């Protein structure tokens, strides 16, 4: 069985890359999926259907196009990793965590110790809290390959 | 039919109060539910089962106790209102929105124009975006009583 | 048991009224629900949250507000009656029929013989096709009260 | 991952062909499915089980046979494209959209600007509205292949 | 809590009556529902919508009208009792048992010892097999009122 | 896409064989599954776990073992064909039809005209009624391969 | 809203009584349900349908009759309390916990510190672990009545 | 079709090995999955994310990490085999059985005759009770390969 792992959240650090490299180094049977992580392209997704004057509706239109991808991939994943960085609101990452919780899809949070209090509801519904991408790799390795 | 409306998010302003008063003034057939909004009591929910040394596990334990309430009430609601203020991370509100989205429960977001961009995914999955509690009252009145 | 019956479709003739009167005359244990049938109010539902310049987004916003009501009521109904008149596109009525079909909610179509061919997929998934509101009353009376 | 895309609606123009060619030109990982688009064969599907005298029951029988295919393919698809042309009632297309909405399957509507008002409920529940098959190709390309 | 008990199957003996009387005599908190048990009325249910020439389609139409009732009542019941007599095919009773099994609704079969072999799949998926209505009363009494 | 077709019912005639040969002759993309059709082996399935004195419990035990197979295969199928012959009670076939109906899995009934009346509820919930295996082949061919 | 709380597990101490009294003393809006807690009656439930020679099948028959009650009540509950004492296997209590976990129904475990290790999987899937019935009362009071 | 069989329970005897060898000897189309059966590694799973002082929270953390694996594998399996040995509490095995029961996933229990009474609820909800791994092999062989 290949495990399908969805990577949600922060797009400004290299955590996805480190996670993927760690899994490859361990030959883990894993397929990664993600939202579009090119910030500008993501904001402009709706423009493919015509420009909007209103900022609100431009965002709305783009977010719906992006949801075709994210909703499908999250619903198909076996496990999600939800990353919170030290900047930005990252409400979409928290939204993804809630979505997983309602579906009963296990997810792992990835964040620093400084933000455990505001993330307590998300950590409580998560199956694990990791501080580094390397820890996530260890967990995935254990889960997927330990006999 | 009484409508069951769950109020999620910000606990530092009087939006819940204004919303309830507006609905009462209009005699709307509505029952409101909410997480425990007493911040200290909420943080201490797990202490009822014994104190914890670790801050992480104290949060974890309290969040799980609170989830007995919030998960049950959200799953029972017909509509949710999810409020984002101008302070704090409010990741639990975004988590609730994602939970509703996955269940197919309609929700209304309530927030200022300044934060439409970071909330675009949540607004796109919402059925309406309101700027004031009074607008939410108008929507509920229309939805529940218009012939 | 009270039966919850959702009335979908045409808003330009008196079929809802005739159906309700027929059920009342027979003392049927039935509660009727419906979308907002005041056409102008329905088109303006989104205006409660602020005016829109774009016709497309005004429609979009209003349709989403209306869906808070229609989605909730359809999901709660035991049976739906879906009416197609001889004018207008009435795609929302067909949409409601598809929604019911996917949920496994039985529905009755109500339309003239002239349009059986374009409605064949909807009639095939329906539990009954009636030509008059009075026939629907007969069916509901039989279904709800026959020993 | 191959994406499974169901194409619903109008059978009198070449939109399916243009959509497929556009996806092929972009090497998109997509499998298309559809109802039987040969109008006469579709109307006669039930005749394989014996002729009917009544036009209503002939339609009924054929529509049920066709539903073995359409219901199965729609339930299996990741995304649907629902096309409305400028002629005919096309209630089955609207029915498919409602079916997708109830299942939580994302769909894209494809239609001209002239009919945005009667399609407002379907557009509001859709993830995107496109005016040309080429726009749909752009959306699918973005959703399936953007990193 | 009132228990909702659906009574499926044979309509030619007085088992429903004996079951109801036994439950009343014990003051059990139970509400009984059933298909229409007037055989002629049931066969003619579709005639309310117009006569049919074809025997097959008359049956089809009536069966669909009846299904509005039976499907709704079975989906709402807590327990079903499925009775097989010594005559007739009674395939609809077996159909109801399969329907309950797929929904996870517990059901009790009620039949003589002579037919345990052809009913083995239905008995295996049932929660109990009773030989008399009085035994069913005993089971319901135990299930509903024992402390 | 390969279609998974479950064949339920009668085991005393060659209908399964004719159906398979017809599909092979047409190169249909179909995989057939079935209950164990060796009657004696099926009755003795539970004996693998030890003999039983009671006929009822021997049947019970065997039926449960068989259900591991049938429940799994029916839940995995895209379409079922449910065959009723002119002998025996065949309640398990009717049970399978009810199971499919509750799951929303389309099924085709296969039986002679003589028994349309006792099968009316099963035919009404079916997507097609065929009189010969060859007609089923025609339907499957149309459903699976028509463009 | 009345909360429906299912009490699972140990029947040899007075924990149910203490829990009920504590909730009554606090006027909590709660309805309690339970399996039949009269051990002998529970073991004999199947005897109502006739005696069995085999101990295995007597147990089997009684357990199925009891499941009509327990399955229905667990599926209807909002929260379960699952109690493990210091004697007996109590596998049915663990079974109930697994059942709740799969349904997404929150449950609270109630057991001494000595057995936290063998119960670790059940505690991890639980929303809270209490050591005394009085602690459970505190949790329910907080969950149900705190503003 | 390959059958996915989850092996739950006892880790101190060679039943998994015997079961696998028996299936291999019969060339059964089966894929086995399991929790991590290395007891120490399983208890230490959470340590990969940092050590804990509290025994309770160490267990909690490890159990949650293990649940990423077990929950995913159980939800994906077609059949489970749940083994109870003569030692230890094995509450997690009973929990898995309850989880399967709620999902409608068939499972086979594997245990000695001495413990049929405390396991009666689990056996009643199971599809079969085997006393030896070889009997399970016989059942799987019958279920998967008998024509």
């Amino acid at each position: 069985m290949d495990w399908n792992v969805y990577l949600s959240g922060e797009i400004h650090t290299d955590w996805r890359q480190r996670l993927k490299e760690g899994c490859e180094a361990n030959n883990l049977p894993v397929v990664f999926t993600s939202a579009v992580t090119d910030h500008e392209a993501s904001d402009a997704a709706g423009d493919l259907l015509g420009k909007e004057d209103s900022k609100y509706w431009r965002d709305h239109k783009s977010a719906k196009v992006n949801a075709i991808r994210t909703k499908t991939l999250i619903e198909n994943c076996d496990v999600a990793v939800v990353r919170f960085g030290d900047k930005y609101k990252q409400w979409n990452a928290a939204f993804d965590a809630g979505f997983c919780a309602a579906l009963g899809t296990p997810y792992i949070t990835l964040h620093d110790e400084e933000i455990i209090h505001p993330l307590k509801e998300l950590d409580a519904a998560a199956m694990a809290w990791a501080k580094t991408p390397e820890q996530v790799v260890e967990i995935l390795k254990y889960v997927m390959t330990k006999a």
Side-chain angles (χ1 to χ4, degrees), chain A:
Chain A
M1 165 186 173
D2 272 358
W3 289 71
N4 196 324
V5 178
Y6 186 81
L7 305 179
S8 170
E10 197 204 27
I11 57 175
H12 301 94
T13 64
D14 63 350
W15 70 276
R16 276 183 182 78
Q17 193 55 32
R18 284 162 61 190
L19 188 46
K20 287 177 187 171
E21 287 170 4
C23 289
E24 272 171 37
N26 284 283
N27 285 317
L28 299 188
V30 60
V31 175
F32 291 105
T33 58
S34 225
V36 169
T37 54
D38 173 337
H39 199 163
E40 277 193 35
S42 171
D43 281 359
D47 297 350
L48 299 167
L49 300 166
K51 300 280 180 185
E52 296 298 327
D53 295 328
S54 150
K55 280 179 63 172
Y56 179 77
W57 292 115
R58 188 199 183 217
D59 275 351
H60 199 84
K61 200 168 156 183
S62 292
K64 280 195 147 192
V65 168
N66 281 308
I68 298 176
R69 173 174 173 135
T70 55
K71 186 173 184 300
T72 302
L73 297 180
I74 291 180
E75 288 177 354
N76 284 348
C77 81
D78 298 302
V79 187
V81 181
V82 188
R83 162 73 184 159
F84 293 90
D86 54 0
K87 290 189 210 158
Y88 308 105
K89 294 296 190 183
Q90 308 171 85
W91 284 318
N92 56 335
F95 179 87
D96 288 352
F99 202 93
C100 286
L103 296 180
T105 302
Y107 66 90
I108 299 166
T109 57
L110 173 59
H111 61 83
D112 289 344
E113 191 146 13
E114 281 69 31
I115 47 179
I116 58 172
H117 193 62
L119 281 171
K120 65 180 181 299
E121 287 87 3
L122 282 72
D123 281 344
M127 301 312 270
W129 160 45
K131 273 163 258 156
T132 65
E134 287 69 31
Q135 280 184 328
V136 178
V137 174
E138 285 307 302
I139 294 297
L140 295 182
K141 183 181 170 187
Y142 171 81
V143 163
M144 295 175 188
T145 65
K146 187 80 192 169

